[in-house]
Every structure is written in structure tokens, then in C-alpha cells.
């Protein structure tokens, strides 16, 4: 009978770690990765083709918006998390080997708990647990969930051991229920099992009014039955200690999973979750092995350029800066833009990327076609208002305020992207050339955009493009480009006269000029900047005092 597509047949490779050898649950896992393999496995697969820069505005919007889901730059914290996750899974299986009888002992103990309906009952044969666990704490937007998803994707979720007739669930990730109860948490667990292996435990247990103790006992027995490698509980701050019957009961449940059942548990949450588990695990429950890993924003203080945090901020922004679909984009990022970018985002991964995406969309909509500090500040004010309190708390470095706003996020991002997309689409319909003249020929429109970006007069470009596609309908752009350029050279002298004639550019269009044009620079000034101050910032004013002192 063929296996479902999400369940893979286990294949084995001898582990290089003696403690892991002979354990099919471990030797069926992918090889342990080194640092370089982790970075390669996590890195985003975003690609950008130079020709895309000359695509129409609407097409470029789609490429830019995709950055929010596809861009990922591995940092040191991500590599460390992978190492901890690898240890969690493999160490948890050391004490549950089906060949040495330890798995059967866990199943027998679980059966006794199920019979008694109490997860904490002492069984006849108490078995050794090798599981260990920890908590991952970080503010919203720091990449906790996104990183975990990428790390888990390097493992198969479900493996079938044919000779053993055992189904192994390597990992199970569930979100804490919004009603904050342990009963709902158990039901979320049953639902995740059903999705992984095609069972119906949620229906079986959800329709009955079983006490929470019985549900928890059933949950732990299933964890052993399916040789669960690690249980990840996300958004742990949603769990309410009051609704769960008290903090002790909740913590006892997690401790039992690790110490008694032998299933590693990774708790993920924002700083609001700290009172729920960190203090107690450190104080009264030191034997559980729980520790806490704190994730914060990237560090962008230029005064600490030698620190690892600042170097990672530079690498992150340098990598992201490459993904611009703007016709006048600067090849490298200036320190002025980098510092402004950090000040506005405070190094929060999610905000850094969203700010970058919206800035590109604004650059297209305003025809600026490049990112400037002025543009970044406009986007920050217009698009990121919901997170201003949180970012201001980070600027003041006030822990109390940071915790208060740690769950903030930018709402309706997709809706806002759609609105901007529609505006750009409407604007493109009234562009400087007649879109309908090309009868939907995307290649012709592409060629038109390339020629305009090279400075061809708008009134002549359309005529050139139409002539080219009329005479060479099957040719591609690589063939048409030299032909059109040759035609342009042979154009009547009237064309050259028209091109040389000085044209008046209204001030509202100065933002479309070249970056080194004084009029463009003036359009990007802050309200307090005079023309003199602007020239001084650009190094265009002779500094007499510096000259005299040198």
C-alpha cells in the first residue's frame, strides 16, 4: 500500500556520534549540518534579472511584494537555534530507542497513566528521560516563527519505518490557543497529529467531556506512540495561567512532558510570556533543563562597528539592498540611508523588510525610482503608524514600555499592498505612451521602457518600437535592440535638435531627475534645510576653517 505523499519511507545512515548509533529514529534523520550548510539551507532564493528592471510598473510591484515572504538572511542567532534544535531532537530519542526496549517502557508507562487518567501518576516502571528543552523569547517581528519554519523544513516531518511498522513524527508545531486554556492546547495537539498522519483524534477527544488530566495523559501517550521528536508550542504568551487552572498546573504539564514522558518541548513567545515560565523554571524547577534564549533586534549603532551585531546589520542591509526593481536604484547603500533605515526600523527584521518594500512601491508610484532618506521617512509616517509606539519604546530603551508593546504588528499589510498596486496600475494606464498601442504585447512595452530609461524622447520611442515589431515580428529583444539603436542614429536632424533643446522641468518632477542633479537633491531635503545647508551636506561648499587648520 503506497504511503501518503507527506509520509516518507525511512532510510538510514550510520551516525558519526557513538551515542546515536543503532537508533533508527536518529539514523533516519538528515545528517547533522555544519555552520556553512545551515547558512546555505536557510538563505532565501530570491533572484533578480536585470531585464526585470525595465518591466512595466505593475509587474515590478509583484516582484517587490514577494520580498516580504521570500527574503531571509541567516544570522548567528539562526545558526545557534539550528544547533539547539538538532540537539533537542536527537537527545530526546536517545532514551526512546525501539531496539533496546526503552520506547516500549515509555509506552507501558504511558498506558498506566492513561488507565489512571492522570499524567503525573507514578508508574510501576519509571523510565529514564534524556529529553531537554528551552524557551525562545523575542519581540514580534524578530523572525522567531519564520526561522523555525525554515529550520523545520530541513527535516522530514513524518517517517515510516517499514521493518518496525512504526510511524515517526519528527516534529509537531502548534500555536497556543487564543482562549488560553490547557484543554484547547491539547485539542490543538490532536489536530496537528491528525494533519500529520491522517487520523481523527481531534474528533475522538473533542466531542467528549473528558477531564483535562485524561486529555493530557492521552496527549503524552500519542507523543510516545508516534515517537515525537520535538513539540514546539508557539505564541506561548496566549496561555492564561488563570484559565489553565493556575501557573503551577501549566508548568507541571510541560515539565512532565520533558522529564517523565521524554518528549523535548520548545516554547516560543514574546517577552510577555516571561512571567509564565522563565522565572519558575529557573527557580523551583532547575532540574527540568529549561533555559531561555532571548532574541532581540539587530544592532545598528555605527559607533560599535566592530561588534558582531553591527556587522550583521550591515550584511543584512547590504544583501536586501540588492533586491531593488527600480530603474534609478543606487548600486550601493550610503551610510546616511543605512543609519536612517535603522533609526526608523530599530533593527526589527520584519519592519526592516516592510519598510524597504513599501519604499520601493512609493518610489515607483512617485516616479522617483530610487530609495532616499526622505522617501523612507515618508513611508514610515504613512505606512507604519501602528508600530510607532513600539519603535519609540525601543529608541528610548525602556524595558517596561518594550514589554507593553512587544506584540504590536503592522495590520492589513496585504490590503495596503493591494491598494498601492491598484494605484500604480491606474497610473500606468495614463503613462506617457499609449499602452493600447502595443495591443498587449508585453515585449514591446518592455522594449519601450528600456529605451525611455536610456533617455530616448517619449514622442519618438513608441514609433521606433512599433516599426521594429512590425518589420521583425518574431525577433526577440536581443535582436531588436541594436536595430532600434541604429535607427535612432539615422533619425533626421530634427530629432537631434529636439533632443538638444532645453526643456523646462516643473519642480514637482525634480524627484525624477538623476541622483547627482542639484534639483533632485533639493527635492530630497528636509524642511529645515536651506539651499546653503544642502550644498554644505553634499560637500559643495568650501570650508575655509578646515583649509586654514590644515
Amino acid at each position: 500500500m503506497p504511503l501518503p505523499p507527506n509520509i516518507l519511507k525511512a532510510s538510514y545512515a550510520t551516525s558519526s556520534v557513538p551515542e546515536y548509533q543503532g537508533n533508527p529514529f536518529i539514523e533516519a534523520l538528515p545528517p547533522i549540518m555544519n555552520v556553512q550548510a545551515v547558512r546555505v539551507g536557510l538563505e532565501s532564493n530570491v533572484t533578480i534579472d536585470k531585464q526585470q528592471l525595465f518591466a512595466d510598473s505593475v509587474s515590478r510591484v509583484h516582484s517587490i511584494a514577494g520580498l516580504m515572504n521570500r527574503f531571509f538572511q541567516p544570522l548567528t542567532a539562526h545558526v545557534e537555534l539550528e544547533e539547539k534544535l538538532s540537539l533537542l531532537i536527537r537527545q530526546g530519542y536517545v532514551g526512546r530507542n525501539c531496539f533496546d526496549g526503552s520506547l516500549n517502557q515509555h509506552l507501558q508507562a504511558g498506558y498506566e497513566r492513561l488507565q489512571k487518567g492522570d499524567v503525573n501518576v507514578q508508574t510501576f516502571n519509571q523510565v529514564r528521560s534524556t529529553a531537554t528543552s528551552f524557551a525562545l523569547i523575542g519581540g514580534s517581528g524578530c523572525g522567531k516563527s519564520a526561522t523555525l519554519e525554515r529550520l523545520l523544513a530541513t527535516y522530514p516531518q513524518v517517517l515510516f519505518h517499514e521493518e518496525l511498522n512504526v510511524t515517526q513524527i519528527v516534529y509537531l508545531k502548534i500555536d497556543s490557543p487564543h482562549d488560553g486554556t490547557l484543554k484547547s492546547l491539547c485539542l490543538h495537539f490532536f489536530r496537528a497529529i491528525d494533519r500529520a498522519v491522517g487520523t481523527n483524534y481531534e474528533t475522538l477527544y473533542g466531542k467528549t467531556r473528558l477531564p483535562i488530566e485524561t486529555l493530557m495523559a492521552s496527549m503524552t501517550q500519542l507523543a510516545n506512540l508516534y515517537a515525537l521528536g520535538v513539540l514546539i508550542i508557539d505564541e506561548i504568551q496566549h496561555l492564561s495561567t488563570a484559565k489553565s487552572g493556575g501557573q503551577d498546573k501549566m508548568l507541571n504539564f510541560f515539565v512532565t512532558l520533558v522529564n517523565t514522558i521524554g518528549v523535548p518541548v520548545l516554547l516560543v513567545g514574546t517577552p510577555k510570556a516571561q512571567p509564565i515560565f522563565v522565572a519558575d523554571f529557573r527557580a523551583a524547577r532547575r532540574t527540568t533543563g529549561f533555559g531561555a534564549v532571548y532574541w532581540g533586534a539587530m544592532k545598528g549603532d555605527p559607533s560599535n562597528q566592530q561588534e558582531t551585531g553591527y556587522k550583521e546589520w550591515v550584511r543584512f542591509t547590504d544583501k536586501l539592498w540588492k533586491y531593488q526593481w527600480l530603474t534609478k536604484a543606487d548600486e550601493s547603500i550610503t551610510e546616511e540611508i543605512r543609519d536612517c533605515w535603522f533609526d526608523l526600523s530599530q533593527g526589527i527584521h520584519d519592519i526592516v523588510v516592510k519598510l524597504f518594500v513599501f519604499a520601493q512601491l512609493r518610489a515607483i508610484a512617485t516616479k522617483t525610482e530610487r530609495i532616499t532618506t526622505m522617501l523612507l521617512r515618508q513611508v514610515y509616517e504613512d505606512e507604519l503608524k501602528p508600530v510607532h509606539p513600539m519603535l519609540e519604546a525601543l529608541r528610548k530603551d525602556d524595558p517596561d514600555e518594550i514589554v507593553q508593546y512587544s506584540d504590536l504588528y503592522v495590520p492589513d499589510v496585504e490590503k495596503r499592498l493591494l491598494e498601492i498596486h491598484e494605484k500604480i496600475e491606474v497610473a500606468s494606464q495614463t503613462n506617457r505612451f499609449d499602452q493600447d498601442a502595443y495591443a498587449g504585447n508585453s515585449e514591446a512595452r518592455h522594449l519601450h521602457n528600456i529605451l525611455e530609461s536610456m533617455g530616448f524622447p517619449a514622442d519618438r520611442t513608441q514609433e521606433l518600437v512599433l516599426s521594429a515589431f512590425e518589420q521583425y515580428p518574431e525577433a526577440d529583444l536581443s535582436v531588436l535592440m541594436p536595430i532600434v539603436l541604429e535607427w535612432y542614429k539615422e533619425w533626421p536632424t530634427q530629432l537631434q535638435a529636439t533632443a538638444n533643446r532645453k526643456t523646462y522641468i516643473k519642480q514637482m518632477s525634480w524627484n525624477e531627475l538623476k541622483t547627482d542633479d542639484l534639483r533632485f537633491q533639493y527635492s530630497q531635503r528636509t524642511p529645515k534645510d536651506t539651499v546653503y545647508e544642502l550644498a554644505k551636506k553634499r560637500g559643495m561648499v568650501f570650508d575655509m576653517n578646515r583649509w586654514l587648520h590644515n
Side-chain angles (χ1 to χ4, degrees):
M1 184 176 178
L3 294 172
N6 65 308
I7 300 179
L8 303 181
K9 184 179 178 180
S11 60
Y12 310 96
T14 303
S15 174
S16 59
V17 181
E19 190 179 26
Y20 298 161
Q21 293 173 0
N23 189 322
F25 295 143
I26 298 177
E27 295 190 330
L29 298 175
I32 299 173
M33 293 191 289
N34 58 30
V35 173
Q36 183 60 29
V38 174
R39 291 188 178 277
V40 172
L42 289 178
E43 201 164 14
S44 59
N45 57 355
V46 182
T47 57
I48 182 168
D49 189 333
K50 292 295 183 183
Q51 288 192 350
Q52 289 179 288
L53 301 180
F54 302 103
D56 58 83
S57 300
V58 177
S59 299
R60 288 188 287 153
V61 167
H62 283 268
S63 298
I64 295 166
L67 279 176
M68 289 200 296
N69 297 320
R70 294 163 51 208
F71 177 79
F72 193 92
Q73 173 66 15
L75 304 176
T76 302
H78 303 148
V79 176
E80 292 175 351
L81 180 60
E82 192 282 331
E83 292 175 350
K84 288 182 177 292
L85 184 64
S86 176
L87 284 169
L88 274 183
I89 295 173
R90 290 170 171 81
Q91 284 295 316
Y93 280 132
V94 169
R96 291 181 294 155
N97 189 340
C98 54
F99 284 160
D100 64 10
S102 55
L103 178 63
N104 289 335
Q105 290 179 338
H106 277 284
L107 289 169
Q108 178 61 36
Y111 171 74
E112 293 179 36
R113 296 188 189 94
L114 199 58
Q115 289 293 90
K116 301 286 180 61
D118 186 355
V119 72
N120 291 305
V121 71
Q122 294 294 310
T123 60
F124 176 76
N125 183 20
Q126 293 294 315
V127 290
R128 179 178 70 101
S129 170
T130 58
T132 183
S133 301
F134 71 96
L136 174 61
I137 303 170
S140 292
C142 287
K144 303 183 302 298
S145 298
T147 305
L148 275 173
E149 292 290 347
R150 285 181 173 268
L151 290 176
L152 293 175
T154 63
Y155 290 88
Q157 185 180 18
V158 186
L159 293 168
F160 179 67
H161 300 262
E162 190 171 22
E163 294 183 5
L164 304 171
N165 194 29
V166 172
T167 299
Q168 173 189 5
I169 299 179
V170 178
Y171 64 86
L172 213 58
K173 182 175 178 290
I174 62 177
D175 289 331
S176 298
H178 285 278
D179 67 2
T181 65
L182 275 179
K183 181 172 183 178
S184 293
L185 180 67
C186 291
L187 294 178
H188 280 206
F189 175 87
F190 298 139
R191 184 184 307 162
I193 290 280
D194 292 341
R195 289 175 178 172
V197 295
T199 49
N200 63 342
Y201 292 114
E202 184 184 12
T203 302
L204 177 64
Y205 293 108
K207 289 185 177 180
T208 57
R209 295 188 176 182
L210 295 172
I212 184 62
E213 288 75 14
T214 301
L215 289 177
M216 288 160 52
S218 300
M219 178 177 170
T220 56
Q221 181 67 344
L222 288 176
N224 272 324
L225 179 64
Y226 289 104
L228 178 59
V230 62
L231 174 62
I232 301 166
I233 305 177
D234 202 355
E235 306 294 350
I236 195 71
Q237 70 276 5
H238 291 158
L239 280 180
S240 166
T241 55
K243 291 181 180 179
S244 299
Q247 191 162 328
D248 285 343
K249 186 174 182 178
M250 185 192 305
L251 297 179
N252 274 332
F253 174 57
F254 293 133
V255 170
T256 300
L257 277 176
V258 179
N259 279 3
T260 306
I261 309 303
V263 176
V265 177
L266 169 55
L267 304 177
V268 184
T270 67
K272 285 186 178 180
Q274 287 183 349
I276 298 177
F277 50 89
V278 176
D280 286 74
F281 282 157
R282 282 181 173 173
R285 309 188 188 279
R286 291 191 179 114
T287 58
T288 63
F290 273 80
V293 176
Y294 297 88
W295 272 17
M298 289 178 284
K299 305 298 182 184
D301 184 0
S303 64
N304 297 319
Q305 293 188 10
Q306 299 307 312
E307 289 189 359
T308 301
Y310 182 78
K311 291 179 180 178
E312 292 201 322
W313 162 249
V314 171
R315 283 196 294 268
F316 189 94
T317 47
D318 281 347
K319 182 69 175 291
L320 187 54
W321 188 257
K322 295 177 181 179
Y323 299 117
Q324 292 188 57
W325 282 263
L326 303 175
T327 59
K328 299 176 183 176
D330 295 318
E331 287 190 11
S332 58
I333 182 175
T334 65
E335 291 309 308
E336 180 185 12
I337 289 179
R338 198 194 309 274
D339 293 344
C340 175
W341 200 354
F342 179 81
D343 179 58
L344 298 177
S345 67
Q346 286 299 296
I348 298 176
H349 304 69
D350 186 54
I351 303 299
V352 173
V353 177
K354 282 186 170 66
L355 189 61
F356 185 66
V357 166
F358 278 112
Q360 288 197 64
L361 299 183
R362 179 70 64 92
I364 291 176
T366 61
K367 299 180 182 178
T368 305
E369 290 291 345
R370 82 212 83 181
I371 293 176
T372 65
T373 55
M374 179 180 177
L375 192 71
L376 287 172
R377 295 189 187 282
Q378 288 174 343
V379 169
Y380 174 79
E381 291 298 330
D382 296 341
E383 309 295 348
L384 300 179
K385 275 188 171 63
V387 293
H388 283 190
M390 176 184 176
L391 295 169
E392 188 57 37
L394 287 169
R395 288 188 193 99
K396 293 190 294 185
D397 197 21
D398 187 329
D400 294 332
E401 283 194 39
I402 292 171
V403 171
Q404 181 182 353
Y405 296 117
S406 64
D407 292 336
L408 280 182
Y409 69 102
V410 183
D412 300 325
V413 171
E414 290 78 10
K415 180 181 177 182
R416 184 61 185 143
L417 283 174
L418 182 60
E419 291 173 354
I420 296 174
H421 176 270
E422 289 175 349
K423 287 181 179 179
I424 293 175
E425 189 168 15
V426 169
S428 69
Q429 298 304 320
T430 57
N431 206 353
R432 285 171 290 181
F433 65 94
D434 183 6
Q435 296 275 356
D436 294 330
Y438 298 137
N441 186 338
S442 60
E443 288 292 298
R445 288 160 57 182
H446 192 170
L447 178 58
H448 183 111
N449 290 334
I450 293 175
L451 295 176
E452 273 208 337
S453 71
M454 294 171 63
F456 279 44
D459 57 340
R460 297 293 187 184
T461 300
Q462 183 173 298
E463 187 177 348
L464 281 170
V465 174
L466 287 172
S467 298
F469 276 91
E470 182 180 351
Q471 295 187 39
Y472 305 96
E474 302 299 326
D476 59 25
L477 293 185
S478 62
V479 174
L480 291 177
M481 274 296 296
I483 294 173
V484 171
L485 289 173
E486 189 63 32
W487 287 353
Y488 182 69
K489 290 179 184 178
E490 297 173 357
W491 211 270
T493 54
Q494 177 189 358
L495 176 63
Q496 191 63 37
T498 302
N500 291 335
R501 187 168 61 239
K502 294 182 179 179
T503 57
Y504 175 75
I505 300 176
K506 295 181 179 179
Q507 186 171 344
M508 66 176 61
S509 300
W510 286 2
N511 66 315
E512 301 177 36
L513 298 172
K514 293 182 179 180
T515 303
D516 57 358
D517 193 301
L518 288 177
R519 290 167 294 180
F520 171 78
Q521 296 176 13
Y522 183 79
S523 72
Q524 302 301 306
R525 77 191 192 289
T526 60
K528 64 180 181 179
D529 281 342
T530 63
V531 175
Y532 175 78
E533 287 296 328
L534 178 68
K536 192 174 181 180
K537 283 183 178 180
R538 301 296 176 183
M540 301 168 62
V541 175
F542 180 69
D543 192 334
M544 178 65 76
N545 290 329
R546 180 182 295 181
W547 180 77
L548 288 173
H549 284 91
N550 289 337

